[in-house]
Amino acid sequence: GLNHYVGQEKLTLVAAWTTWALGRDWIPPSRLQQSPVWHYAHSDQWRYEGDFTDYAPIPRETRWAKGHAIDLLASAVRMGWMPFYPQFNRNPLEIVKQAEAAGAKSDEQIVKWVVGQLKSGNLRYAIEDIDAPENWPRTWVIWRGNAMQSSAKGAEFFLRHYLGTHDNAVAEEHAKGRVKDVVLRDPAPRGKMDLVCDINFRMETTALYSDMVLPTAMWYEKNDLNTTDLHSFIHPLGAAVPPVWEAKTDYEIFKAIAKKVSELAPSVFQGPVKDVVMTPLAHDTPDELSQDYQAGMKVLDWGKGEIEMIPGKTAPHFKVVERDYANIYNQWITFGPKARENGIVGNGEHIDIKPFYDELLENPIDAQPDVRHMRCRVWGGQRYPGLEFAEEAANLLLHLSPESNGEVSYHAFKEGEHQVGLPLADLAEGVRGVRMTYFDLTRQVRRTLISPCWTGMVNDGRAYAAWCLNVERLIPWRTLSGRQHHYMDHPYYIDYGEQLMTHKPKLDPRKTGDIVRSPVDDESVVLNYITPHGKWHIHSTYYDNHRMLTLSRGIEPCWLNDKDAARIGVKDNDWVEVYNDNGVMVTRAAVSARVQMGTCMIYHAPERTISIPKSQVRGNRRGGAHNSLTRTRINPMQMAGGYAQWTYMFNYWGPIGIFTRDTHVAVRKLSQLVW
């Protein structure tokens, strides 16, 4: 772990939020997936590269860091290192029915049947034949993400393979003859998605390409909470005005969908149905010792006959859950009993919430004059804490979180004492009487409390800094030894020559396939391409308004070093084409000596809604934006799993999206601007 900051991606109220948001109060486990791996496979970007070793320098004596990255991903899924969805080449609801028809009576027998089917090859993982129509992702609901542009590493391949629409990629496929474990279907499918639904408050690139846009409320039109792990306060969003026109809050949109599903469910299902869920070996659990690499330092894949398939040890976990689609709405508006039964978990810290759950049943949070209070609701003959409105959900999270309820913090530290054998509860002794409600936060700022879910010590106004609890209170780091590790003894790290910090040179643009078919001549220059955070706007938002456009020359420019620009006769504010085999962007040049030679950059994230001239190098087709020049590549080393701290945790461990500094582009002056 690093003391890193990633904006809104880490939430202060992590334990309670994770349980509520991911439905674990009703049906654990959840199906969770890291985006880079999912898009690398489903958008077929793996087809445009050969073996990982073609372009990545690794030791000659390597044993496992060989072959194509998609094969290594399939192996990681089989071994339980990484999640992947869909899981199988058959509907998991139908798989359960088939198991029961074959004589399975209990959940354990269903799992045993599924494992047997996988061993025999009668049932296959979806990743092993990713382009088979039965394995396509057919419906894509996008919320809080500009998935078609600012988040789309390889945007043109999204357009080609997800939507089947126009694109500017000219890259050739290189996977044929290289892929061994994953089926390569010819030709590559185009247009996998049947329905793309975007929940959005503005017209950006994703909305532009969606089949359906559900207009949602803006920041000052809804009641919500806004937090990060490194901010000292929980920020409330208060609805100054109601959502305009047809817009609804995010909460109300999902609630309305849940209600409609519940209404339609009886016409599809006779009652509750069983589903089999596959989950990877997990961080902060006994799974960290499931594959003992210290004993033999071997990576063994049961799918290749190298070891016996044992769920939860040499393979993923399999669990049968019951889904009651007719009561999805009732489950949405209430907090389920599984949270009381199992507790909540934040960053590996388990918190028993039974007394606090019962408090909500016995004494719901008092009503305030202008805030909906938290009521209990009864359905199915049982009483549950109510979550019909966003304010109730906010109050639930604040009540159950150690960062906003001092008694929960004290209780959690007491539980942590048993784990590490050290006194810890004294840290929260002074805040046991602190309680925060949504109404409180709208009236007065409240600083978050010390919590075992985070490693900062924030008592008495102390600023947050990571690892203080580890250093000052001797809480072990979450590694095999409990210490910080500089030597990485996972066999993948040793095999890749990265068991110690290692310099890796920049990738060759021809070996990666970035610039093969694209023309490069004396009028163009090949540069390393990066996409820093937006300078003249806020990330991917608020760029296309008059004030921001005035600041940014009315377009998102390509920043060039003055000497690189002079080589191709480009002056400041000239129009240029920035292109490679992945796509093209036409924009103005911002020439500056402050840009490093050999590098160019385009701040993210321009949209395809404005300022997208036509490209000459692509036959006068409309150009793209910054991510039209990138393509997803994954580093197989980041799929390492099954051992100590190298085990999966949502939003923490797994391959990252492409580092754009490993992408190269050609830049040349545009001879004639065509809108």
Side-chain angles (χ1 to χ4, degrees):
L2 301 173
N3 183 2
H4 68 298
Y5 173 72
V6 285
Q8 300 302 98
E9 296 171 17
K10 302 288 186 286
L11 303 169
T12 308
L13 313 179
V14 59
W17 182 88
T18 300
T19 300
W20 165 74
L22 304 180
R24 291 174 177 168
D25 56 321
W26 285 103
I27 311 174
S30 309
R31 289 190 176 110
L32 301 172
Q33 173 78 60
Q34 340 89 314
S35 297
V37 164
W38 197 85
H39 290 301
Y40 174 73
H42 282 300
S43 67
D44 281 317
Q45 296 186 55
W46 60 274
R47 301 175 70 109
Y48 298 89
E49 64 181 16
D51 290 350
F52 176 75
T53 48
D54 285 351
Y55 58 82
I58 60 172
R60 291 182 179 179
E61 63 274 13
T62 180
R63 289 177 286 177
W64 302 294
K66 297 178 179 178
H68 199 287
I70 195 72
D71 283 341
L72 295 170
L73 172 58
S75 181
V77 174
R78 284 194 299 268
M79 292 186 290
W81 291 2
M82 288 288 120
F84 195 83
Y85 302 101
Q87 304 166 134
F88 314 114
N89 62 346
R90 276 183 259 161
N91 186 325
L93 304 183
E94 296 301 320
I95 290 173
V96 172
K97 292 179 182 178
Q98 292 164 9
E100 291 173 334
K105 303 296 183 184
S106 64
D107 291 351
E108 292 75 16
Q109 290 175 342
I110 292 171
V111 168
K112 185 177 180 180
W113 185 88
V114 170
V115 170
Q117 291 289 296
L118 287 168
K119 286 181 177 180
S120 68
N122 292 328
L123 180 66
R124 300 292 303 276
Y125 288 106
I127 184 61
E128 295 174 335
D129 192 0
I130 193 64
D131 283 338
E134 63 270 19
N135 296 330
W136 295 358
R138 299 287 186 166
T139 303
W140 194 6
V141 179
I142 301 164
W143 174 59
R144 288 193 176 180
N146 191 355
M148 290 291 184
Q149 190 54 68
S150 65
S151 299
K153 307 300 188 296
E156 301 297 317
F157 301 97
F158 280 46
L159 300 180
R160 175 179 293 182
H161 297 291
Y162 282 164
L163 305 185
T165 186
H166 55 276
D167 66 82
N168 283 316
V170 297
E172 296 175 325
E173 294 190 22
H174 298 286
K176 195 169 186 178
R178 304 294 191 93
V179 177
K180 297 178 176 60
D181 292 352
V182 173
V183 176
L184 191 147
R185 292 177 176 254
D186 199 16
R190 295 189 176 218
K192 293 181 176 180
M193 300 289 182
D194 292 334
L195 175 67
V196 179
C197 175
D198 185 27
I199 301 173
N200 212 324
F201 57 76
R202 62 190 291 265
M203 178 56 71
E204 31 86 293
T205 306
T206 299
L208 202 65
Y209 282 101
S210 296
D211 299 297
M212 180 188 303
V213 179
L214 301 181
T216 190
M218 242 303 215
W219 306 117
Y220 301 107
E221 299 171 350
K222 61 182 177 182
N223 297 310
D224 207 337
L225 297 177
N226 194 14
T227 76
T228 83
D229 55 334
L230 298 186
H231 289 163
S232 301
F233 300 90
I234 300 170
H235 305 280
L237 302 180
V241 295
V244 298
W245 302 104
E246 295 180 313
K248 297 180 183 294
T249 66
D250 316 76
Y251 202 87
E252 291 298 320
I253 288 173
F254 283 114
K255 186 170 75 174
I257 293 173
K259 191 169 188 178
K260 183 57 65 175
V261 169
S262 292
E263 292 172 0
L264 295 174
S267 65
V268 181
F269 303 105
Q270 298 304 310
V273 294
K274 287 189 174 182
D275 180 13
V276 59
V277 179
M278 181 178 75
T279 55
L281 305 174
H283 193 40
D284 289 315
T285 74
D287 292 349
E288 294 189 354
L289 299 177
S290 64
Q291 297 174 9
D292 186 7
Y293 292 126
Q294 284 193 325
M297 298 306 290
K298 292 182 179 179
V299 175
L300 301 175
D301 182 350
W302 69 263
K304 297 179 180 178
E306 298 168 345
I307 196 171
E308 180 68 16
M309 180 187 182
I310 306 172
K313 193 169 181 66
T314 64
H317 293 276
F318 300 90
K319 184 177 177 61
V320 176
V321 301
E322 186 175 82
R323 303 196 185 278
D324 188 358
Y325 291 104
N327 279 306
I328 285 289
Y329 175 73
N330 286 329
Q331 292 175 350
W332 174 267
I333 64 171
T334 53
F335 194 57
K338 291 291 184 182
R340 184 186 187 280
E341 177 185 331
N342 300 328
I344 60 179
V345 178
N347 296 336
E349 293 291 333
H350 178 272
I351 305 172
D352 180 3
I353 62 166
K354 290 187 182 72
F356 308 104
Y357 187 100
D358 293 343
E359 277 182 20
L360 294 175
L361 295 177
E362 297 162 8
N363 185 28
I365 295 171
D366 292 336
Q368 300 291 351
D370 59 348
V371 180
R372 294 188 182 99
H373 65 290
M374 191 165 186
R375 297 169 289 180
C376 291
R377 287 175 176 79
V378 178
W379 66 272
Q382 298 294 321
R383 191 163 174 259
Y384 306 104
L387 294 173
E388 186 173 353
F389 303 105
E391 301 92 326
E392 293 181 312
N395 276 327
L396 174 92
L397 300 181
L398 292 167
H399 179 74
L400 296 178
S401 297
E403 299 82 9
S404 49
N405 185 332
E407 190 62 27
V408 175
S409 180
Y410 180 83
H411 188 80
F413 274 117
K414 288 294 287 185
E415 196 170 343
E417 289 180 341
H418 299 295
Q419 292 180 323
V420 299
L422 295 169
L424 298 172
D426 61 286
L427 290 165
E429 186 69 54
V431 297
R432 291 183 68 176
V434 178
R435 301 286 191 281
M436 300 182 198
T437 68
Y438 180 75
F439 180 80
D440 295 335
L441 299 179
T442 62
R443 296 305 185 269
Q444 184 185 57
V445 294
R446 300 289 179 90
R447 199 163 184 266
T448 51
L449 310 177
I450 192 167
S451 163
C453 298
W454 304 103
T455 56
M457 297 175 66
V458 297
N459 287 340
D460 302 320
R462 184 174 174 178
Y464 182 93
W467 316 131
C468 293
L469 285 173
N470 305 89
V471 173
E472 298 178 30
R473 300 305 291 259
L474 304 181
I475 293 176
W477 271 265
R478 289 186 172 89
T479 63
L480 183 67
S481 67
R483 298 171 179 265
Q484 296 185 42
H485 283 199
H486 292 285
Y487 179 78
M488 308 296 180
D489 64 346
H490 191 290
Y492 253 36
Y493 278 72
I494 296 171
D495 205 41
Y496 282 58
E498 296 192 33
Q499 62 269 48
L500 288 172
M501 291 173 284
T502 306
H503 169 73
K504 293 284 185 173
K506 291 180 180 179
L507 302 182
D508 186 321
R510 293 199 172 272
K511 290 182 178 179
T512 59
D514 280 334
I515 302 176
V516 178
R517 300 185 65 188
S518 296
V520 176
D521 51 32
D522 293 340
E523 295 181 351
S524 60
V525 58
V526 174
L527 301 170
N528 200 189
Y529 173 67
I530 60 175
T531 59
H533 275 270
K535 186 175 183 180
W536 307 114
H537 44 91
I538 306 168
H539 212 266
S540 61
T541 312
Y542 312 122
Y543 160 71
D544 48 359
N545 67 69
H546 181 72
R547 187 179 296 274
M548 292 294 105
L549 291 173
T550 300
L551 288 173
S552 63
R553 308 184 181 199
I555 199 167
E556 195 69 53
C558 176
W559 290 75
L560 299 171
N561 174 269
D562 55 336
K563 294 182 176 61
D564 288 331
R567 288 168 56 191
I568 53 174
V570 169
K571 297 179 181 178
D572 188 64
N573 223 37
D574 280 348
W575 287 93
V576 293
E577 271 188 298
V578 188
Y579 61 94
N580 59 18
D581 289 10
N582 304 321
V584 62
M585 181 174 175
V586 180
T587 184
R588 291 185 183 274
V591 177
S592 171
R594 292 175 296 170
V595 179
Q596 185 179 358
M597 279 191 70
T599 300
C600 69
M601 59 186 184
I602 298 175
Y603 288 104
H604 80 329
E607 304 287 0
R608 295 188 84 149
T609 53
I610 58 170
S611 301
I612 306 293
K614 292 179 179 177
S615 162
Q616 293 174 2
V617 76
R618 293 294 186 263
N620 280 341
R621 293 201 298 273
R622 186 71 60 192
H626 69 298
N627 264 334
S628 297
L629 300 163
T630 61
R631 178 163 51 81
T632 297
R633 287 182 287 269
I634 59 175
N635 185 347
M637 190 184 70
Q638 295 170 345
M639 295 188 288
Y643 173 56
Q645 60 266 34
W646 294 278
T647 36
Y648 176 73
M649 184 176 179
F650 177 60
N651 208 21
Y652 271 86
W653 182 243
I656 58 175
I658 180 178
F659 273 123
T660 51
R661 65 180 63 91
D662 287 333
T663 301
H664 290 77
V665 297
V667 182
R668 71 179 185 183
K669 186 175 181 179
L670 198 66
S671 59
Q672 181 182 0
L673 179 63
V674 181
W675 288 100

